[in-house]
Amino acid sequence: MSQQLFNDLVTLTSPAHAGRNAGSDEPNISAQFLYERFNQLGLQTQYQRFSFKSGFSSQAFGHNVVAKLPCNTERCGKAIVVSAHYDHLGTKGSKIYAGANDNASGTAALLAVAQQLKNAKRFYPVILLATDAEEKGLHGAKHYASQINKQEYALNINLDMLALNQKSTLYVMHSRTAKPYVDVLTRLQADDFKLKLASSPQRMRRLVGTERVDWLKASDHYAFHRAGLPYLYFGMGEDKNHHSVKDTIEQIDFEKYQHVVNFISDFMVALLDCPLDCTS
Ligand SMILES: [Zn+2]
């Protein structure tokens, strides 16, 4: 496994990050770490502070970390925003919720994608968005989506829970409007895992075999969907350790995870290299 990807996972799940709980007045250690990493990669990076309601009456603050890669070709398409929430559940007493799969896996993948796209040909501007306060109600993504001009955006790609389990299946749920981008995806080869596409949340529910989960509202893509953007959501389906203290780095099958991250990176490179009319 790539050393950098592994190191990022280790850092995000370390006790120092204390379960990456959202709601501090200043950017927490995880936000600062991401800011630094994007900066090191040479990306223009900013915090985006927002407030959200926590509990019945009190207000709390969250901090998205927003990194940009401009289009570097003559003709440019609309922006693609790749999102992954970095927050998790924090601590309870002496117990730390490391949130390795949920969603250190997506966050470390976001950094790997940034690294990969940095030197790629980019027909689209890319925004790498590490969102905060997803666990408390998708607040970071909702805030981001509330302040964009929809006309300037082509697509949201959301990464949440990428550490494949024994089923070795990566699910991609997408809006119907995202179909042209899915066509780019299906031209790629998935190594050592199965790729399953779901063209609706209902289809996703049937594929994963989960009655309870509303996959549309389950993660940040919902905020972009509500804002009218096409979306693609990448995830491993249902994790038996979801929101438990057992969601630790020890549970991650690194080889499978690496394959998934490589696949998503390859997809992003292919997507950005695609002449503007290739998706229409
Ligand atoms: Zn999550």
Side-chain angles (χ1 to χ4, degrees), residues 15-279:
H17 285 242
R20 308 185 303 279
N21 194 27
S24 51
D25 284 356
E26 299 298 322
N28 63 19
I29 182 175
S30 310
Q32 290 176 36
F33 166 71
L34 293 168
Y35 186 98
E36 275 305 306
R37 285 280 290 113
F38 282 128
N39 238 342
Q40 280 166 10
L41 289 169
L43 276 69
Q44 187 202 326
T45 309
Q46 287 176 318
Y47 291 120
Q48 183 184 51
R49 191 175 199 246
F50 58 90
S51 66
F52 64 94
K53 233 176 122 180
S54 127
F56 284 112
S57 57
S58 61
Q59 251 198 356
F61 292 99
H63 302 83
N64 293 334
V65 185
V66 189
K68 289 183 183 160
L69 279 169
C71 162
N72 60 6
T73 55
E74 265 179 40
R75 286 196 308 156
C76 292
K78 296 177 178 185
I80 295 176
V81 53
V82 188
S83 57
H85 75 88
Y86 71 88
D87 69 300
H88 191 57
L89 305 175
T91 57
K92 258 182 216 147
S94 60
K95 288 191 294 188
I96 296 176
Y97 290 75
N101 187 20
D102 185 15
N103 184 29
S105 67
T107 309
L110 191 68
L111 294 169
V113 166
Q115 162 93 51
Q116 195 64 232
L117 294 185
K118 191 174 77 151
N119 301 315
K121 189 158 137 205
R122 302 183 300 266
F123 272 96
Y124 306 83
V126 184
I127 290 118
L128 299 141
L129 174 66
T131 64
D132 197 6
E134 188 267 0
E135 302 286 10
K136 298 181 194 294
L138 320 181
H139 294 295
K142 283 177 182 166
H143 178 75
Y144 187 88
S146 74
Q147 49 81 56
I148 61 171
N149 176 359
K150 193 191 132 188
Q151 305 309 323
E152 294 171 3
Y153 284 77
L155 176 70
N156 168 234
I157 295 169
N158 185 36
L159 314 175
D160 195 354
M161 297 175 41
L162 299 178
L164 302 191
N165 59 18
Q166 302 85 322
K167 284 165 89 178
S168 293
T169 303
L170 178 69
Y171 298 92
V172 181
M173 180 178 80
H174 63 90
S175 57
R176 251 187 288 155
T177 46
K179 185 70 171 63
Y181 307 100
V182 176
D183 293 343
V184 177
L185 186 73
T186 49
R187 289 200 285 269
L188 296 173
Q189 188 76 39
D191 279 331
D192 297 324
F193 65 87
K194 284 167 269 173
L195 182 69
K196 290 192 179 170
L197 302 173
S199 55
S200 72
Q202 293 73 22
R203 178 99 186 104
M204 177 73 175
R205 198 182 288 179
R206 255 175 280 137
L207 280 179
V208 182
T210 43
E211 285 309 311
R212 305 165 282 116
V213 185
D214 181 347
W215 290 100
L216 180 62
K217 297 182 180 172
S219 183
D220 286 336
H221 51 271
Y222 180 57
F224 292 98
H225 175 68
R226 273 200 334 180
L229 259 61
Y231 72 85
L232 292 180
Y233 158 59
F234 289 78
M236 50 68 77
E238 200 173 38
D239 181 359
K240 64 179 193 317
N241 295 320
H242 186 241
H243 288 190
S244 98
V245 286
K246 291 186 196 147
D247 181 7
T248 60
I249 195 165
E250 287 76 22
Q251 300 298 315
I252 293 186
D253 182 323
F254 291 122
E255 209 179 308
K256 285 182 193 172
Y257 172 62
Q258 174 82 69
H259 282 138
V260 165
V261 174
N262 290 348
F263 179 79
I264 292 171
S265 296
D266 289 350
F267 165 60
M268 289 303 306
V269 169
L271 188 61
L272 295 184
D273 186 38
C274 175
L276 296 180
D277 20 35
C278 88
T279 57

